[in-house]
Amino acid sequence: AIVDFLDGLALASDPHSSKCLVPRADSPEGALRRAKALEIAELINSGIQPHQNLSTMKTIKVALDPAGGAADVDGKGYVVAKIRAGLQACEKLVATSAGLFAVGNEVSIADVCIIPQLYGARRFGIDLSTYPMLLRVEKACEGLECFRSAHADAQADAELAQ
């Protein structure tokens, strides 16, 4: 909803702009791109990303072992399984709608969500070679300054592996 709001503000300030993260539904093709971009973004936003939070892993351990001896509860394994399942679903969606980017030939909210999720997957040691469409999208996004400057490793407080 917030992205729609921000896109609306941008459109109000420049009605002729084509720069929207959520594709416009101004044609049947546009409506389909819009639906796909939002579907991919929501899959990542609610179906993958929350599972990788430390608080979620701790909650899983407590739920499975309320006595607190959760040493043998594999929170990371749970997260890895959820990320893999989500990326597989995302790969299938992108395969049906991709152009240069996840949903056609313009950057959308789908790309904005995919790139940091791939970064997160790598943090958990997930082999991404089984997601060629997502990697192709990542490569296209890496060519854009906005993605390079927003990358987690490019931030002033980034803790880079030595």
Side-chain angles (χ1 to χ4, degrees), residues 101 107 139-149:
F101 297 102
V107 171
K139 186 168 180 63
C141 291
E142 286 173 348
L144 301 174
E145 177 56 32
C146 57
F147 281 93
R148 288 193 303 270
S149 63

Side-chain angles (χ1 to χ4, degrees), residues 70-149:
D72 54 336
V73 174
D74 187 6
K76 182 180 177 186
Y78 165 83
V79 172
V80 166
K82 290 297 186 180
I83 293 173
R84 283 183 180 146
L87 289 178
Q88 185 61 42
C90 192
E91 175 78 7
K92 288 178 183 175
L93 290 172
V94 170
T96 66
S97 61
L100 179 59
F101 297 102
V103 181
N105 293 318
E106 294 182 16
V107 171
S108 74
I109 189 66
D111 305 294
V112 171
C113 292
I114 288 169
I115 301 310
Q117 187 55 60
L118 294 177
Y119 179 87
R122 286 184 180 100
R123 279 188 27 226
F124 283 94
I126 295 173
D127 175 13
L128 298 177
S129 65
T130 58
Y131 313 107
M133 296 300 293
L134 299 180
L135 292 175
R136 187 189 53 70
V137 167
E138 181 181 49
K139 186 168 180 63
C141 291
E142 286 173 348
L144 301 174
E145 177 56 32
C146 57
F147 281 93
R148 288 193 303 270
S149 63

